[in-house]
């Protein structure tokens, strides 16, 4: 290889040539990573401020997670659920205990966890609550992001994600996020669940007004409706607590988990709920070939053990305060607003200055990788192993981008 020749442009072209264009990635080609840092094919280093949309909460290649994966690869990788394997019980028990729930149902992707939640809630509605046959409805929020399946995009309010995928699955009622009266009014005798994100990540890290979560909890309890918290992005340490619901002392009936549950190594998702809810499923009624496979369980168990120490939640809370302090200082200096909790922030860049895409590209040239979400909003979600110095570095690069 000719040393002076950059490999990046060719590698970017190759990557685009053979794939559907369902993403618009930044023009960077990553070759390796460790902790909070990525290295591209030309040896340039970048601070990861996206962390795989929070799938990499513990950083890239956390030694304990990589060790667990290696050890399991050498012993057993897949059995299907037709047989029981020796990693299954520990994972399910330790995750159930972390969630404070009776039972766990492991799946693979976040969307599958959400689909599982929807199916279980409907079955619970018919079999336990006694709703009108075929008429179960689920209340969801405007601006939601719960995944990409045909049923899930049926109740998306993002036209980009939804258009031309109909006919759409019926049985969902969309209400404004953060509006308790609207949510209460949408509930009727056939409502089986409220499905919501305690903080809306894709929408730009939208934190609902104080009191909203407890209000939703109370309405659900009074009206005998299941509260399904999609903590796929907000959970597992991201906001400074294990679950974002904890900030307002809310316990949902069902946690939907994914992303960081796989430690950035394998896709692992799960639903956690008590026996009177998850117990409605009988053999043959739901499943997944790869759900709860030995490799997923080995890594997932180690993830749960990392979280059980509380260290990552603490880091997120403490370092998050530093991140938010630094970001607040930029409001009025190129930033219009900052939202978020812990090591999770949504920044609205003054659209008169640049789009979110332009800001992401400029940050990239300064060694910081982040991604725009809607228009001029950027989301920052660095791995929870990031240090104070690295946060200051990211803030300095952002300040430079906003003023250059
Ligand atoms: C990413 C995400 C999903 C979907 O997860 P996939 O693994 O991409 O299917 C669902 N809900 C939320 C809140 C998410 O952030």
């Amino acid at each position: 290889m000719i040393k002076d020749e950059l490999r990046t442009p060719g590698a970017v072209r190759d990557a685009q040539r053979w794939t559907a264009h369902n993403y618009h990635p930044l023009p960077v080609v990553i070759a390796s990573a460790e902790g909070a840092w990525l290295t591209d094919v030309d040896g340039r280093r970048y601070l990861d401020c996206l962390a795989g949309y929070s799938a990499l909460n513990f950083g890239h290649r956390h030694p304990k997670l990589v060790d667990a994966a290696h050890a399991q690869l050498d012993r057993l990788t897949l059995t299907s659920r037709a047989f029981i394997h020796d990693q299954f019980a520990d994972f399910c028990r330790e995750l159930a205990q972390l969630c404070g729930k009776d039972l766990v149902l492991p799946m693979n992707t976040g969307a599958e966890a959400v689909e599982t939640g929807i199916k279980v809630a409907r079955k619970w509605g018919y079999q336990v609550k006694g709703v009108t046959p075929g008429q179960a409805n689920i209340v969801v929020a405007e601006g939601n992001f719960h995944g990409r399946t045909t049923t899930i995009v049926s109740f998306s309010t993002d036209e980009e994600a939804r258009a031309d995928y109909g006919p759409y699955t019926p049985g969902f009622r969309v209400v404004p996020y953060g509006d308790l009266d609207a949510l209460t009014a949408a509930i009727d005798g056939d409502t089986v669940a409220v499905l919501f994100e305690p903080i809306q990540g894709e929408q730009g890290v939208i934190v609902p007004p104080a009191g909203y979560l407890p209000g939703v909890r109370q309405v659900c309890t009074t009206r005998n409706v299941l509260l399904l918290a999609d903590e796929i992005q907000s959970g597992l340490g991201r906001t400074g607590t294990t679950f974002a619901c904890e900030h307002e002392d809310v316990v949902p009936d069902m946690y939907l988990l994914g992303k960081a549950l796989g430690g950035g190594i394998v896709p692992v998702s799960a639903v956690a709920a008590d026996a009177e809810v998850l117990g409605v499923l009988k053999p043959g009624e739901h499943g997944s070939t790869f759900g709860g496979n030995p490799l997923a369980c080995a890594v997932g168990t180690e993830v749960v053990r990392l979280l059980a120490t509380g260290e990552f939640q603490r880091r997120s809370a403490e370092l998050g305060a530093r991140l938010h302090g630094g970001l607040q200082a930029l409001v009025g200096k190129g930033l219009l607003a900052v939202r978020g909790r812990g090591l999770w922030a949504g920044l609205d860049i003054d659209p008169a200055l640049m789009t979110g895409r332009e800001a992401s590209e400029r940050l990239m040239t300064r060694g910081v990788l982040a991604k725009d979400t809607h228009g001029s909003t950027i989301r920052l979600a660095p791995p929870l192993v990031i240090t104070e110095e690295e946060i200051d570095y990211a803030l300095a690069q952002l300040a430079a981008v906003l003023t250059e």
Side-chain angles (χ1 to χ4, degrees):
M1 186 188 108
I2 307 160
K3 197 83 184 98
D4 299 340
E5 201 174 298
L6 287 182
R7 292 167 62 199
T8 296
V12 169
R13 266 195 311 278
D14 286 352
Q16 303 281 41
R17 169 66 184 81
W18 298 103
T19 181
H21 288 179
N22 60 326
Y23 279 89
H24 183 33
L26 290 174
V28 58
V29 182
I30 307 300
S32 63
E34 186 172 6
W37 289 89
L38 301 155
T39 304
D40 75 7
V41 288
D42 290 309
R44 286 176 297 219
R45 278 162 50 83
Y46 304 86
L47 183 61
D48 187 353
C49 284
L50 181 66
Y53 299 97
S54 292
L56 288 151
N57 281 1
F58 312 98
H60 294 268
R61 297 167 49 242
H62 188 288
K64 287 198 169 146
L65 301 177
V66 169
D67 284 353
H70 277 151
Q72 194 57 41
L73 275 174
D74 288 338
R75 296 202 307 116
L76 176 72
T77 56
L78 189 66
T79 56
S80 85
R81 292 283 308 276
F83 316 124
I84 302 170
H85 62 78
D86 67 359
Q87 300 298 303
F88 194 72
D90 282 350
F91 173 64
C92 295
R93 184 188 63 253
E94 292 183 35
L95 181 58
Q97 287 169 347
L98 185 81
C99 296
K101 297 292 183 193
D102 297 339
L103 302 175
V104 154
L105 170 46
M107 299 293 282
N108 309 284
T109 65
E112 284 177 304
V114 173
E115 288 276 350
T116 301
I118 291 169
K119 288 171 78 174
V120 168
R122 284 181 172 183
K123 204 175 261 293
W124 172 87
Y126 297 120
Q127 298 191 346
V128 180
K129 180 170 176 171
V131 303
T132 318
Q135 295 302 312
N137 70 73
I138 294 178
V139 180
V140 299
E142 257 170 42
N144 70 73
F145 183 85
H146 296 289
R148 302 288 197 172
T149 64
T150 34
T151 286
I152 293 172
V153 299
S154 292
F155 56 86
S156 171
T157 55
D158 174 359
E159 270 311 292
E160 235 177 13
R162 184 178 191 271
D164 295 335
Y165 292 130
Y168 299 108
T169 307
F172 297 93
R173 298 180 173 176
V174 186
V175 298
Y177 188 60
D179 182 341
L180 190 58
D181 292 338
L183 182 128
T184 307
I187 291 176
D188 66 18
D190 288 330
T191 303
V192 295
V194 168
L195 166 64
F196 84 123
E197 299 155 87
I199 293 179
Q200 288 188 328
E202 296 303 306
Q203 189 59 19
V205 194
I206 311 294
V207 182
Y212 177 66
L213 266 54
V216 175
R217 174 67 275 179
Q218 208 197 330
V219 174
C220 286
T221 304
T222 336
R223 306 291 299 272
N224 193 24
V225 166
L226 298 178
L227 181 56
L228 274 50
D230 182 343
E231 293 253 18
I232 290 167
Q233 195 167 158
S234 59
L236 309 186
R238 174 52 58 193
T239 67
T241 48
T242 305
F243 303 110
C245 283
E246 282 174 60
H247 288 286
E248 299 214 54
D249 295 321
V250 163
V251 179
D253 298 297
M254 193 186 284
Y255 289 106
L256 308 176
L257 303 173
K259 294 207 163 98
L261 193 55
I265 298 179
V266 278
V268 185
S269 70
V271 165
D274 280 338
E276 69 236 41
V277 177
L278 260 184
V280 299
L281 291 180
K282 300 287 176 301
E285 294 178 351
H286 186 55
S288 157
T289 304
F290 291 94
N293 69 74
L295 186 57
C297 287
V299 173
T301 302
E302 211 49 54
V303 164
V304 173
R305 288 178 186 168
L306 289 179
L307 285 166
T309 67
E311 179 199 334
F312 291 90
Q313 295 90 322
R314 206 156 42 239
R315 288 189 73 86
S316 182
E318 286 168 15
L319 295 167
R322 190 178 187 94
L323 175 68
H324 281 278
L327 290 172
Q328 283 302 336
L330 294 173
V331 173
K333 297 181 183 144
L335 290 186
L336 296 182
V338 178
R339 299 168 296 272
R341 259 191 176 133
L343 278 172
W344 204 18
L347 336 171
D348 295 338
I349 294 182
D350 183 350
L353 286 180
M354 66 192 90
T355 63
R357 174 74 188 189
E358 282 174 75
S360 304
E361 286 175 357
R362 292 197 208 177
L363 280 169
M364 180 189 78
T365 64
R366 294 177 159 276
V368 174
L369 291 186
K371 191 72 171 67
D372 50 302
T373 154
H374 290 88
S376 51
T377 299
I378 288 197
R379 165 181 29 194
L380 295 182
L384 311 182
V385 295
I386 195 169
T387 63
E388 286 187 356
E389 296 72 38
E390 289 162 351
I391 286 173
D392 294 347
Y393 170 78
L395 287 166
Q397 303 316 310
L398 178 65
V401 162
L402 293 173
T403 51
E404 76 193 3

